[in-house]
Amino acid sequence: MSLTTDERVALQRGAGTDLVAPSGYQDVPGGERPEVAPPAGPRRRGWRPRGVVDVLLALVLPVALLAAWQLAVQAGVLEESRFSSPGAVLSALVEYAASGRLWPNLGVSLQRVLLGFTLGSLAALVVGVLVALSRTADRVLSPLLSAVRAVPSLAWVSVLIIWWGIGEEPKVGLVAIGAFFPVLATLVAGFRQVDTGLLEVAQAYGLSWRQRVTTVLLPSAAPSLLAGARLGLNQAWLFLVAAELLGATEGLGWQLQNAQRNGQVELVLATIVLFAVIGKATDGLLAVVERRVLARLR
């Protein structure tokens, strides 16, 4: 729709408000006024169907396996005495929690994992920075660390008992060894990807050793550091079971061994399920931290 000359004059003077074009329309001489989409507002948060779909897809295989397991036990394909049904495992887990024995053992295991993981990660951070900034340290330490990393976890059990007896120290020490090498390997790989030109510029500007680490090296290698932390935490849980075989009297690893000695198959399986659930939960927490830290660094 086109406007006459008088209408355009009236519109410019503000008289004839009915001639004012509504927002979202533009005057097209000789034709209709096409509708223009209003500007997009801020994106609303909340419902995320894609995340729900991902969760449902992730549950498909575990649920199918549990159903097949239950049916196989009921049909007699699997012996109940050796393969307790999922229902029996769940009942054992509920009974274990209700008895009050679960939470002390869970607390002790969490304490050992967190302490060992922290010590192992800090040691890996110090060694990784040293190797990254000093070519001499790299030549001296890297061959030795590669050789020590190949030592099986159970081989450390005997020597740790000789050094520290059967107290808490060898258990935490073994978990720390388990966390140390994945964090170190990933961290060193991340440091080696840092542009050496940045370090040379930082050195040319007179930045101290500590300033180069905190302003150039660590921010650049943050993705590798966080990925290595997740690997180290997973490895710490794996080493915990071996650690709690060192004369422990409490902990999930000790509970696993105790149930095996007493022939409680359902409790053995329930403890394994607990390890899986807790390991996944702690990894999920680190994944959240990883996303937030990386988003802040971008």
Side-chain angles (χ1 to χ4, degrees):
M1 181 181 68
S2 61
L3 302 178
T4 64
T5 303
D6 294 337
E7 289 173 337
R8 291 180 183 277
V9 171
L11 180 61
Q12 292 173 355
R13 291 176 178 175
T17 53
D18 56 324
L19 297 177
V20 176
S23 60
Y25 285 85
Q26 292 178 339
D27 188 15
V28 180
E32 297 294 332
R33 296 178 179 179
E35 185 176 359
V36 178
R43 183 174 296 178
R44 298 178 61 185
R45 294 183 177 179
W47 176 250
R48 299 180 61 186
R50 187 175 179 181
V52 175
V53 171
D54 290 343
V55 171
L56 292 177
L57 287 176
L59 291 175
V60 168
L61 185 57
V63 171
L65 289 175
L66 288 174
W69 180 8
Q70 181 74 35
L71 292 174
V73 173
Q74 289 179 349
V77 177
L78 297 177
E79 297 179 21
E80 178 74 22
S81 59
R82 300 175 62 186
F83 299 92
S84 298
S85 65
V89 173
L90 180 61
S91 299
L93 187 58
V94 172
E95 182 181 351
Y96 184 39
S99 68
R101 294 176 295 158
L102 168 62
W103 310 115
N105 288 326
L106 178 59
V108 169
S109 293
L110 277 174
Q111 180 181 349
R112 288 168 178 159
V113 166
L114 293 179
L115 185 56
F117 168 71
T118 302
L119 293 175
S121 299
L122 289 177
L125 182 62
V126 172
V127 176
V129 169
L130 189 61
V131 168
L133 292 182
S134 171
R135 193 177 297 274
T136 302
D138 184 17
R139 291 177 177 175
V140 171
L141 291 175
S142 293
L144 175 64
L145 292 173
S146 299
V148 175
R149 187 174 56 182
V151 176
S153 59
L154 291 179
W156 290 104
V157 173
S158 301
V159 72
L160 291 177
I161 290 177
I162 293 174
W163 287 347
W164 289 321
I166 58 174
E168 281 297 303
E169 293 87 353
K171 301 175 181 59
V172 175
L174 190 58
V175 174
I177 291 172
F180 174 80
F181 287 105
V183 176
L184 177 65
T186 313
L187 187 60
V188 170
F191 284 158
R192 285 175 177 167
Q193 293 177 356
V194 176
D195 187 0
T196 55
L198 292 176
L199 292 173
E200 292 173 357
V201 169
Q203 189 173 6
Y205 273 89
L207 267 65
S208 65
W209 187 86
R210 181 182 61 80
Q211 289 173 324
R212 276 181 283 159
V213 171
T214 55
T215 60
V216 178
L217 206 57
L218 285 180
S220 301
S224 299
L225 175 61
L226 295 168
R230 293 179 64 183
L231 289 175
L233 184 59
N234 291 334
Q235 194 75 356
W237 278 108
L238 296 179
F239 274 60
L240 175 71
V241 177
E244 292 186 337
L245 297 178
L246 302 175
T249 56
E250 52 187 354
L252 291 180
W254 168 80
Q255 178 59 56
L256 183 70
Q257 186 184 26
N258 191 48
Q260 180 263 325
R261 280 198 301 264
N262 296 327
Q264 298 172 295
V265 180
E266 65 282 358
L267 190 52
V268 171
L269 295 173
T271 308
I272 293 175
V273 171
L274 274 177
F275 274 120
V277 172
I278 298 169
K280 179 61 180 174
T282 52
D283 181 70
L285 289 175
L286 265 187
V288 172
V289 174
E290 180 182 16
R291 285 196 296 272
R292 294 191 175 185
V293 171
L294 294 182
R296 180 165 295 186
L297 291 177
R298 289 192 185 111

